[in-house]
């Protein structure tokens, strides 16, 4: 049998790659559940249907938006988000990215995204923003929900 270094190198690379994939950390069940909650909220906003979103927030949650303390999510929904949606034709997210860090029964989530809002009144110009959100989710009785949600946005800056 003739030893071929190139073939040996290929076999070694395949073995190392297979081993690395087998040992790669998979997303934890908690992280998957947290991502599901975060995505469900973003998807509800995009559908302009926030009727089910109270189930994503603990009753003692706190919401902060663009420099304002909005109170609990129930208050935010009643006094801010709900009335705003009455004027919107669409709310589209693009380029969403989320980083999740789990520490026991607390999850820290940072998100970046772009969004575009159009209005039912076509005379109003669409709004395009670069947004960020920082959230704290808590796990209680095996269920993850938002405890603190903070978001802010600024106009999209042209590429330089």
């Amino acid at each position: 049998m003739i030893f071929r270094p190139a073939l040996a190198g290929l076999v070694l690379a395949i073995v190392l790659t297979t081993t690395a994939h087998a040992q790669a950390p998979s997303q934890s069940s908690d992280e998957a559940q947290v991502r599901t909650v975060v995505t469900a909220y973003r998807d509800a906003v995009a559908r302009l249907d926030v009727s089910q979103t109270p189930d994503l927030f603990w009753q003692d949650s706190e919401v902060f938006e663009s420099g304002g303390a909005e109170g609990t999510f129930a208050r935010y929904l009643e006094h801010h988000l709900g009335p705003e949606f009455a004027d919107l034709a669409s709310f589209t997210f693009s380029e969403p990215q989320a980083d999740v860090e789990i520490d026991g029964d607390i999850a820290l989530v940072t998100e970046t995204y772009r969004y575009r809002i159009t209005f039912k009144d076509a005379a109003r110009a669409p709004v395009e923003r670069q947004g960020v959100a920082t959230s704290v989710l808590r796990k209680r009785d095996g269920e993850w929900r938002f405890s603190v949600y903070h978001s802010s946005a600024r106009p999209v800056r042209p590429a330089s």
Side-chain angles (χ1 to χ4, degrees), residues 63-91:
V63 176
F64 302 90
E65 182 182 291
S66 296
E70 304 292 340
T72 65
F73 182 73
R75 184 178 189 293
Y76 176 64
L77 187 58
E78 182 181 348
H79 294 280
H80 188 93
L81 197 57
E84 277 185 357
F85 277 17
D87 295 332
L88 304 184
S90 69
F91 197 128

Side-chain angles (χ1 to χ4, degrees), residues 59-142:
Q59 284 187 350
D60 59 348
S61 64
E62 296 179 79
V63 176
F64 302 90
E65 182 182 291
S66 296
E70 304 292 340
T72 65
F73 182 73
R75 184 178 189 293
Y76 176 64
L77 187 58
E78 182 181 348
H79 294 280
H80 188 93
L81 197 57
E84 277 185 357
F85 277 17
D87 295 332
L88 304 184
S90 69
F91 197 128
T92 308
F93 288 94
S94 62
E95 304 173 32
Q97 297 288 320
D99 292 320
V100 176
E101 181 180 333
I102 306 286
D103 188 1
D105 290 342
I106 294 177
L108 306 173
V109 181
T110 55
E111 298 176 84
T112 59
Y113 45 81
R114 291 177 84 151
Y115 64 85
R116 184 172 199 272
I117 297 172
T118 60
F119 298 92
K120 290 177 182 175
D121 178 358
R124 291 183 67 181
V127 173
E128 294 191 42
R129 297 285 186 263
Q130 181 69 41
V132 296
T134 306
S135 306
V136 176
L137 285 81
R138 290 186 184 270
K139 185 178 184 181
R140 296 178 181 161
D141 298 324

Side-chain angles (χ1 to χ4, degrees), residues 47-58:
R47 284 191 317 274
L48 300 178
D49 178 6
V50 290
S51 61
Q52 302 301 309
T53 57
D55 292 341
L56 302 173
F57 289 78
W58 294 112

